[in-house]
Amino acid sequence: MANAILVLNAGSSSIKFTIFDHEAGNLHVRYEGQIEGIGTKPHFVAYADAGQPIHETSWANPPLGRGHAYALERLAAWLDPLLPEEGLIGVGHRVVHGGTRFSAPMRLDEALLHELEAFVSLAPLHQPANLAGIAAAMDFLPGVPNVACFDTAFHRTHPPVADRFAIPYDLYDEGVRRYGFHGLSYEYIAQALPTCAPKLAEGRVVVAHLGNGASMCALKAGRSHDSTMGFTALDGLPMGTRCGQIDPGVLIYLMQEKGMGAKQIEDLLYKRSGLLGLSGVSNDMRTLAASNDPRAADALDYFVYRIIRETGALAASLGGLDGFVFTAGIGENAANIRARVCEGLGWLGLQCDPAANAQHGPRISPPDSPVDVWVIPTDEARMIALHTLRVLV
Ligand code: ADP
């Protein structure tokens, strides 16, 4: 193996990792995997680049609060004999929130780690896990530099009007504003466009990141102009279990009429809503697509409807539309959803060639389509590795 970079994406109950080797500016995936069930039943699986599992193990849950640290200790111990003599160039971390201050990846030290704790209240479900992953990497990979890559950073190019809520101004100053998320995914797509669709790279493009988490971003000449996610990763499109856009009056109703507190509302909107809440069947697109339950069909109708509706808004904010990109698990694989979205946006100029769509593109619009439609697989881990290299080398 040449020089290696470890990319970590630490969530509340899982740590996903990718190990890239780096040679002459090229990044190649050497190993990837995840530790799931942190806090309950930890399970570690690692795959070689060809996708075959090469290591699998489980362990008893460590004492409360030590889950991420212990998982990282196990990962570091497994990794150590596989690394080249020079060891790791660095560790790149996905960090969900960089507030308004961090618009680029940063080399981490104790002081920056402490600063990032200030954003925990802005992303209470994700930021603590991200920071626990960083602290554990600092402990178990001593001497290896760490780089924070922020999901909010790519959106710092929004015009100010796109970042505001119409509430008293001092709340905006305090940080209550529309940040936008999935920035590493959008940045990867923006970097890929000049190669795969050079005409679009300078144009007005809506990118739909449709995974378990889902959002859309309006790109103007490769820079983020607006996005559907706002103050939190709850706004915009309906997701696997998150509600997406909702009238804030519903929250007041839940508090006043149902006596619900903040934690209950958080649980409802983050974990029991979206495709799962609407269907009562599943949060997973494949399960819903295979289901005969009419409510599963209703959930898919709502998902498609909101993508179409939000595209209209983002196209208006861009002053027109030249291209549309589907990405992430649903965007890359669900041909039926893509076909329905294109059909609903025919008035805006999207067309879909059924044969190209069935093959997942990469271009799924016919040559004479007024708006070019593409399927481009995203790669957030590679984007983090690229940032880590740029910061450290
Ligand atoms: P995340 O990274 O946000 O957890 P992914 O980008 O992996 O999510 O996307 C997960 C979603 O993609 C799930 O709803 C899953 O059902 C859907 N998906 C994955 N493969 C397919 C497929 N072949 N057809 C339809 N949906 C798919």
Side-chain angles (χ1 to χ4, degrees):
M1 199 195 284
N3 287 325
I5 295 174
L6 170 63
V7 170
L8 291 180
N9 181 355
S12 55
S13 64
S14 70
I15 297 177
K16 291 184 186 156
F17 64 88
T18 311
I19 294 137
F20 290 91
D21 63 16
H22 168 245
E23 199 158 25
N26 293 315
L27 287 167
H28 174 77
V29 175
R30 179 64 55 169
Y31 306 110
E32 57 192 340
Q34 68 262 349
I35 301 162
E36 288 176 320
I38 295 175
T40 50
K41 257 182 110 206
H43 179 77
F44 174 174
V45 59
Y47 303 88
D49 58 351
Q52 74 274 25
I54 52 163
H55 183 72
E56 197 163 359
T57 180
S58 299
W59 54 83
N61 205 23
L64 203 63
R66 285 258 312 137
H68 285 81
Y70 194 64
L72 245 292
E73 192 177 346
R74 297 294 292 245
L75 174 60
W78 170 75
L79 191 55
D80 191 53
L82 302 174
L83 287 175
E85 230 171 77
E86 310 84 67
L88 290 166
I89 300 175
V91 187
H93 299 265
R94 180 183 191 171
V95 178
V96 70
H97 223 300
T100 51
R101 209 152 62 248
F102 299 107
S103 55
M106 297 285 291
R107 186 171 174 155
L108 279 148
D109 55 20
E110 292 286 346
L112 178 59
L113 185 57
H114 189 62
E115 275 190 72
L116 296 179
E117 279 164 13
F119 305 129
V120 163
S121 62
L122 298 178
L125 294 188
H126 297 101
Q127 193 87 344
N130 299 160
L131 301 188
I134 295 169
M138 285 173 162
D139 275 356
F140 296 111
L141 297 165
V144 180
N146 290 275
V147 174
C149 302
F150 303 101
D151 248 335
T152 46
F154 185 65
H155 298 296
R156 298 281 53 77
T157 49
H158 286 182
V161 70
D163 277 358
R164 295 199 201 290
F165 296 113
I167 53 177
Y169 198 87
D170 49 352
L171 286 166
Y172 177 82
D173 275 346
E174 198 180 301
V176 184
R177 53 180 81 189
R178 300 184 65 246
Y179 293 94
F181 298 88
H182 287 140
L184 293 157
S185 173
Y186 295 126
E187 190 174 10
Y188 179 82
I189 301 294
Q191 289 211 346
L193 280 176
T195 312
C196 68
K199 209 178 83 196
L200 284 190
E202 288 306 307
R204 300 158 300 181
V205 180
V206 166
V207 184
H209 176 110
L210 308 177
N212 221 346
S215 72
M216 301 206 296
C217 176
L219 290 179
K220 199 178 233 177
R223 288 152 75 92
S224 176
H225 186 73
D226 203 346
S227 93
T228 57
M229 278 181 169
F231 178 58
T232 63
L234 201 54
D235 201 2
L237 300 178
M239 306 173 218
T241 59
R242 290 176 244 163
C243 60
Q245 192 270 324
I246 189 167
D247 177 348
V250 173
L251 279 59
I252 298 169
Y253 171 83
L254 294 175
M255 288 187 280
Q256 286 182 336
E257 301 301 320
K258 303 267 182 199
M260 288 174 77
K263 274 283 159 216
Q264 285 170 296
I265 293 179
E266 182 180 276
D267 180 68
L268 177 80
L269 301 184
Y270 274 95
K271 298 188 179 150
R272 295 194 284 124
S273 296
L275 298 176
L276 175 66
L278 276 169
S279 68
V281 172
S282 172
N283 65 315
D284 190 278
M285 178 57 69
R286 280 166 294 195
T287 309
L288 293 174
S291 169
N292 291 323
D293 192 315
R295 282 168 54 200
D298 290 346
L300 297 193
D301 289 349
Y302 183 77
F303 186 65
V304 170
Y305 173 71
R306 295 305 299 216
I307 295 168
I308 292 167
R309 196 175 183 269
E310 293 291 342
T311 304
L314 293 177
S317 83
L318 288 169
L321 195 64
D322 303 305
F324 190 100
V325 176
F326 289 97
T327 194
I330 298 168
E332 291 165 28
N333 296 297
N336 60 327
I337 297 288
R338 291 195 301 257
R340 291 179 64 185
V341 168
C342 291
E343 191 187 344
L345 290 167
W347 62 274
L348 193 55
L350 276 78
Q351 294 176 4
C352 179
D353 170 37
N357 189 33
Q359 296 184 78
H360 307 298
R363 183 183 158 136
I364 62 168
S365 53
D368 56 350
S369 176
V371 171
D372 288 344
V373 189
W374 287 77
V375 179
I376 303 178
T378 194
D379 195 343
E380 289 153 295
R382 184 171 294 271
M383 197 67 238
I384 294 171
L386 285 168
H387 279 314
T388 304
L389 267 182
R390 281 177 201 146
V391 169
L392 296 178
V393 178

